[in-house]
Amino acid sequence: MREHLEMIERCGARGVAVKRPSGLDGINGLIIPGGESTTIGKLIDLYGFEPELKKLGASGVPIYGTCAGLILLAERVVGRHGPVLGLTDVTVERNAFGRQVDSFEVDLPVAGIDEPGRPFRAVFIRAPVIEETGAEVEVMASLERGVVMARQGHYLMGAFHPELTGDERIHRYFLEMVRGKR
Ligand code: GLN
């Protein structure tokens, strides 16, 4: 979470850590970070975040789910738990790259943020994959295993961690969504 806040500040915007549902009041965009989706799901329950996050999504505020955050956004989840927020029309498989491949990095072309000769260095950590996308979902990046970045209107979904490499392009893209420029 700290890394995301640092990236947001480096892009010239103001970031705040949301620790309680009341922290969602007045925000213009939300990043749901990685971690363990089962744990984050329990915290969402415990603090009563679920209705507030659903309201936020329905109000059109851009939400970017990375890794576990992507799992929380999905309507369909393959793995140990079912859907949590169910806001995006995708099927996500947890830990899709297997136990042997806990984490890896790859130079990934990402539609919409690509510059010639500058793919995005994507870090995957026990990452999920998007196995199915609904008609309104736009695929932005894929690996052989499946889709790893996608967008559905004001929702941005990524299987990897863009906050760990110092490359600000995906955070800038999200901020442009927040400013209504994308
Ligand atoms: N494997 C985690 C999960 O299923 C996600 C990992 C991550 O966020 N880096 O929740």
Side-chain angles (χ1 to χ4, degrees), residues 33-38 66-69 71 81 94-95 125-128 159 161:
E36 197 54 51
S37 55
T38 37
T66 66
C67 208
I71 299 168
H81 61 76
R94 297 182 62 207
N95 303 315
I125 305 169
R126 294 183 301 283
H161 291 264

Side-chain angles (χ1 to χ4, degrees), residues 11-110:
C11 296
R14 197 166 80 87
V16 291
V18 175
K19 298 191 169 153
R20 294 284 189 278
S22 59
L24 296 169
D25 291 347
I27 64 167
N28 303 115
L30 177 71
I31 297 176
I32 307 182
E36 197 54 51
S37 55
T38 37
T39 310
I40 304 176
K42 279 181 197 151
L43 293 172
I44 284 178
D45 261 1
L46 190 68
Y47 288 101
F49 265 111
E50 189 184 319
E52 300 308 320
L53 287 170
K54 286 183 170 167
K55 243 189 266 169
L56 190 77
S59 75
V61 167
I63 302 181
Y64 172 23
T66 66
C67 208
L70 152 66
I71 299 168
L72 298 170
L73 285 179
E75 272 176 25
R76 296 168 297 279
V77 180
V78 181
R80 267 212 324 243
H81 61 76
V84 178
L85 298 172
L87 292 168
T88 58
D89 189 6
V90 296
T91 305
V92 169
E93 180 167 346
R94 297 182 62 207
N95 303 315
F97 295 92
R99 292 232 173 116
Q100 276 91 351
V101 200
D102 230 24
S103 61
F104 61 96
E105 293 185 26
V106 67
D107 284 327
L108 185 70
V110 181

Side-chain angles (χ1 to χ4, degrees), residues 11 62 112 151 172-182:
C11 296
R151 176 172 172 181
R172 287 193 187 280
Y173 179 97
F174 181 62
L175 286 170
E176 284 176 9
M177 284 172 62
V178 169
R179 295 183 182 120
K181 292 185 184 153
R182 287 267 192 182

